[in-house]
Amino acid sequence: MKTHKDLEVWRLSVDFVTHIYTLTQSFPKEEMYGLTNQLRRSAVSIPSNIAEGAARQFNKEYIQFLYVALGSLMELETQMIIAKNLNFITESEFLEGQLKMNEIGKLLNGLINYRKTR
């Protein structure tokens, strides 16, 4: 039986959480309960909602959780822009994150569209 752990989007988003935690380790200490926390929470929310949705009995619920994951991804992207603007991350770090977020977003949208046809 396949689970959320078999989904590429889930695996990539879990890896991205690790990336975000590593990236935010160098943020100013006064940001620990500000932007650092927000970035980490948004990142963790993506694979968490994919997993929770996959455990739901009804397809409509699953799709709703996938949309929440997508919303968290957009929230994370916004926070990355803010981090770049505040010079907490470099342009290259931002672009690397942007590539990963784009890939996750495409896979999430594809999964949403697939689930809508079932």
Side-chain angles (χ1 to χ4, degrees):
M1 181 174 158
K2 293 201 175 219
T3 70
H4 62 279
K5 294 181 217 167
D6 297 308
L7 295 169
E8 183 179 3
V9 67
W10 181 83
R11 289 192 304 268
L12 286 175
S13 59
V14 166
D15 289 344
F16 195 53
V17 171
T18 305
H19 175 77
I20 291 297
Y21 267 74
T22 302
L23 191 65
T24 57
Q25 283 177 345
S26 64
F27 279 27
K29 292 296 175 210
E30 63 268 14
E31 284 300 321
M32 179 52 93
Y33 299 105
L35 194 55
T36 301
N37 188 43
Q38 284 297 113
L39 279 156
R40 290 175 176 186
R41 289 175 58 116
S42 296
V44 167
S45 178
I46 299 164
S48 299
N49 277 290
I50 293 167
E52 188 170 354
R56 296 299 171 140
Q57 184 175 2
F58 299 105
N59 195 45
K60 186 175 180 181
E61 289 177 296
Y62 189 6
I63 292 168
Q64 184 60 38
F65 277 93
L66 294 175
Y67 275 121
V68 172
L70 191 59
S72 293
L73 180 64
M74 296 301 102
E75 185 179 358
L76 179 62
E77 180 182 40
T78 300
Q79 294 158 359
M80 289 284 285
I81 291 167
I82 293 167
K84 179 181 63 94
N85 290 348
L86 293 170
N87 296 314
F88 293 166
I89 60 174
T90 65
E91 182 73 22
S92 64
E93 289 170 327
F94 173 77
L95 292 174
E96 179 185 354
Q98 190 71 53
L99 286 173
K100 292 177 182 186
M101 289 184 287
N102 287 344
E103 185 174 6
I104 292 167
K106 286 177 187 174
L107 290 170
L108 262 177
N109 278 313
L111 183 55
I112 289 167
N113 291 332
Y114 171 74
R115 298 304 303 187
K116 283 182 174 181
T117 64
R118 298 192 82 208

